Amino acid sequence: MSDLSTSHAGSARGVASASVPRHVALVMDGNGRWARQRYMPRFFGHKQGVDALVRAVNAFADRGVEYLTVFAFSSENWKRPSEEVSGLMSLVLVAVSKYLTKLAGDGVRIRIVGDRETVSDKLRKAWEHAESLTQHNQRITLSVAFNYGGRWDVVQACRRAIELGVKPEDVDEAWLARNMALSFAPDPDLFIRTGGEMRISNFLLWQAAYSELFFTECLWPDFGEAEIDAALNAYAQRDRRFGMIRPNQVVAEGA
Ligand code: FPP
């Protein structure tokens, strides 16, 4: 769990402050509009989105971010037209075969979070292969939320408690956090959404309780180093209090 000491002196490049988030959550929105602006099919935007993601992983790692968690396919994305859903599924397989070796060589650890039961065997096996090939990498952990929803995550943790027969008094915040999809990572410090919408859309509902939010009009395929630095600079200027108050505030108010 995050606390006031989670910000650390990172190896920030081009970032004004030494305060770099350990964990960044990312909603990669705007692929469809990016493609439409170029009179291209939506799928073209998603394809460019994968390339943008590979660039972003390395840029965040270079700046000292340890965990990057991206929303690639939500529990709700099944409601899109079937051609787009199957296009996204095959895009993932293509992306794994195109980029896995590079990401593995770049020191990226890949983890998949989400409901694996309702995806195809082929996709499940590709994910498992990516996870096992990169399991010892330590430069940055890229968690791909696929067939994921924040509400699904809370429900699956509760179901596990019931299945394991955990006593109600033992189900507390710490137990749930240990049994949710991102149990291996600290809570996200910074939550970025591209594409101009200002909502969380059922991403990391539990884990983002104290994340700093950053929204940008930039469409995902255009999200490059300058936009990353803008987000990290904005984060470095935030005052994170986690529901507490600063000791100097107490003195000032008491005086
Ligand atoms: C939102 O844009 C984007 C998505 C639903 C998919 C994001 C997926 C990728 C970038 C590919 C990730 C692939 C791997 C292998 C991790 P949108 O379609 O909602 O865009 P719009 O709001 O402009 O219509």
Side-chain angles (χ1 to χ4, degrees):
M1 287 281 211
S2 299
D3 60 26
L4 276 173
S5 65
T6 50
S7 290
H8 65 294
S11 56
R13 233 183 31 182
V15 177
S17 162
S19 178
V20 175
R22 288 188 71 194
H23 185 176
V24 174
L26 194 47
V27 177
M28 308 176 288
D29 199 11
N31 295 341
R33 278 165 286 163
W34 187 92
R36 200 168 57 231
Q37 286 171 0
R38 288 158 180 80
Y39 305 100
M40 298 293 280
R42 293 176 58 79
F43 182 71
F44 182 67
H46 292 316
K47 223 160 141 273
Q48 296 295 318
V50 174
D51 297 344
L53 174 58
V54 173
R55 290 192 299 269
V57 177
N58 276 295
F60 277 114
D62 283 347
R63 286 156 177 77
V65 170
E66 296 167 57
Y67 298 88
L68 178 66
T69 301
V70 299
F71 210 3
F73 191 86
S74 75
S75 315
E76 290 74 32
N77 284 154
W78 294 105
K79 296 177 197 148
R80 292 191 174 201
S82 60
E83 319 83 72
E84 181 160 347
V85 171
S86 56
L88 279 166
M89 298 293 160
S90 41
L91 181 62
V92 172
L93 292 170
V94 171
V96 170
S97 69
K98 186 172 171 194
Y99 284 119
L100 181 56
T101 313
K102 176 183 164 34
L103 289 170
D106 288 344
V108 178
R109 178 169 188 177
I110 297 175
R111 304 188 75 140
I112 311 304
V113 294
D115 184 358
R116 298 183 191 217
E117 281 174 24
T118 47
V119 299
S120 70
D121 282 351
K122 210 169 169 186
L123 193 50
R124 198 168 27 247
K125 289 203 174 93
W127 285 143
E128 284 165 7
H129 175 56
E131 288 182 317
S132 83
L133 187 76
T134 62
Q135 63 184 311
H136 300 301
N137 283 349
Q138 292 186 344
R139 183 165 159 249
I140 187 169
T141 297
L142 169 65
S143 301
V144 179
F146 198 92
N147 199 15
Y148 173 88
R151 291 178 176 177
W152 165 83
D153 201 3
V154 175
V155 168
Q156 66 81 25
C158 294
R159 280 193 183 152
R160 187 176 300 176
I162 294 164
E163 279 161 17
L164 294 173
V166 181
K167 287 194 247 131
E169 60 270 30
D170 291 335
V171 181
D172 54 13
E173 291 187 18
W175 193 95
L176 283 172
R178 279 197 307 278
N179 285 277
M180 294 181 70
L182 280 178
S183 58
F184 54 86
D187 286 346
D189 304 292
L190 173 62
F191 183 116
I192 301 173
R193 180 176 186 141
T194 64
E197 310 286 1
M198 287 193 253
R199 54 179 171 257
I200 290 177
S201 296
N202 198 19
F203 189 40
L204 304 178
L205 291 182
W206 175 275
Q207 298 87 344
Y210 282 100
S211 300
E212 294 297 323
L213 305 179
F214 182 86
F215 299 103
T216 170
E217 292 290 327
C218 179
L219 304 177
W220 173 248
D222 289 329
F223 191 78
E225 302 217 11
E227 290 73 25
I228 289 173
D229 286 336
L232 294 183
N233 275 322
Y235 172 81
Q237 280 150 37
R238 301 280 175 91
D239 180 20
R240 304 190 76 197
R241 293 191 299 277
F242 301 93
M244 295 176 261
I245 52 173
R246 298 266 167 225
N248 59 358
Q249 262 178 284
V250 179
V251 173
E253 282 162 21

